[in-house]
Amino acid sequence: DAKTTQPNSMESNEEEPVHLPCNHSTISGTDYIHWYRQLPSQGPEYVIHGLTSNVNNRMASLAIAEDRKSSTLILHRATLRDAAVYYCILGDSNYQLIWGAGTKLIIKP
Amino acid sequence: DGGITQSPKYLFRKEGQNVTLSCEQNLNHDAMYWYRQDPGQGLRLIYYSQIVNDFQKGDIAEGYSVSREKKESFPLTVTSAQKNPTAFYLCASSMWTENTGELFFGEGSRLTVL
């Protein structure tokens, strides 16, 4: 099963951009890269997903390396509400997603 | 509002008792899932269902059972055979399992076995 490597935690200042890295050197050709985030004692929330090309939505941008062995989630202007655990997950179908421990993002006011 | 409702939010049970966690969705999604989350860990898939009256085991199905008699409902029973049932349980749905689109999650149910 394809797995990802993320830093345990990161800190950022409010109103600044945040770049959350994810390494996935064993990614297969059909694996999508998914990002979810989770607040304490709540269910995860979908952020973004992509296959090969960079993706943008109202919440974030996903930058995917050309060889697909790494990706970066970009929050363009962090707010205190963005403080959460961010999960980078691989899979070509929802029932095959492997969830790691994620990155705890701390936003400093 | 469309979404997923899990109940109860908190549940305490004695060892050896079966408990059933409720999950209802009004998103008209075909696929539903149950996950378990332990402190500081990611989610692990218990069971999933792609269609009414059909469900499949996930990675940690032992000690759990499910049913899918209605499209909207996917209850999870934690049986006495589950050796370490204390955990945070999350239900999710999506349009269908083969699609890699968005998973929608409920607020979770926290089960504590005394």
Side-chain angles (χ1 to χ4, degrees):
Chain A
D1 294 331
K3 289 191 164 64
T4 61
T5 304
Q6 298 179 255
N8 290 334
S9 65
M10 289 183 62
E11 287 190 1
S12 184
N13 294 320
E14 194 178 11
E15 299 187 2
E16 289 185 358
V18 180
H19 288 67
L20 294 163
C22 182
N23 288 320
H24 29 79
S25 58
T26 60
I27 190 170
S28 74
T30 58
D31 280 334
Y32 282 76
I33 302 159
H34 307 253
W35 284 84
Y36 284 79
R37 68 182 186 184
Q38 186 179 25
L39 296 171
S41 297
Q42 292 190 23
E45 175 188 29
Y46 169 84
V47 178
I48 201 165
H49 78 288
L51 184 62
T52 55
S53 303
N54 294 344
V55 185
N56 300 295
N57 66 20
R58 63 174 179 80
M59 288 181 70
S61 296
L62 175 60
I64 302 172
E66 197 169 331
D67 63 5
R68 298 210 328 125
K69 294 187 176 182
S70 66
S71 60
T72 302
L73 180 71
I74 303 164
L75 306 179
H76 295 287
R77 195 163 170 267
T79 69
L80 295 177
R81 289 181 299 177
D82 292 321
V85 176
Y86 285 78
Y87 297 97
C88 169
I89 312 154
L90 303 183
D92 61 2
S93 55
N94 281 332
Y95 61 88
Q96 293 180 327
L97 302 182
I98 307 289
W99 296 66
T103 296
K104 183 177 182 178
L105 177 63
I106 299 164
I107 304 295
K108 296 181 288 184
Chain B
D1 284 356
I4 298 184
T5 302
Q6 289 187 240
S7 63
K9 193 171 177 66
Y10 299 96
L11 186 59
F12 296 87
R13 279 294 181 268
K14 292 183 180 178
E15 216 172 298
Q17 289 182 328
N18 290 356
V19 298
T20 297
L21 307 180
S22 169
C23 178
E24 303 278 331
Q25 56 102 355
N26 60 5
L27 299 167
N28 200 32
H29 285 167
D30 285 317
M32 296 187 74
Y33 314 77
W34 273 106
Y35 292 91
R36 170 185 172 132
Q37 186 174 33
D38 293 291
Q41 310 275 327
L43 279 61
R44 291 185 290 168
L45 184 63
I46 305 172
Y47 269 99
Y48 66 97
S49 168
Q50 300 181 62
I51 197 168
V52 174
N53 292 323
D54 184 61
F55 47 83
Q56 306 296 327
K57 292 182 179 179
D59 300 317
I60 56 164
E62 187 176 348
Y64 300 97
S65 66
V66 293
S67 63
R68 187 88 186 273
E69 296 176 3
K70 298 186 299 182
K71 187 174 184 177
E72 307 80 38
S73 179
F74 191 40
L76 173 74
T77 296
V78 184
T79 75
S80 56
Q82 168 49 233
K83 293 177 183 175
N84 186 16
T86 294
F88 188 48
Y89 290 90
L90 287 156
C91 179
S93 72
S94 67
M95 291 196 67
W96 55 87
T97 53
E98 295 306 320
N99 185 282
T100 55
E102 183 176 350
L103 281 167
F104 292 79
F105 284 87
E107 293 284 302
S109 293
R110 189 169 299 280
L111 172 63
T112 302
V113 175
L114 306 172

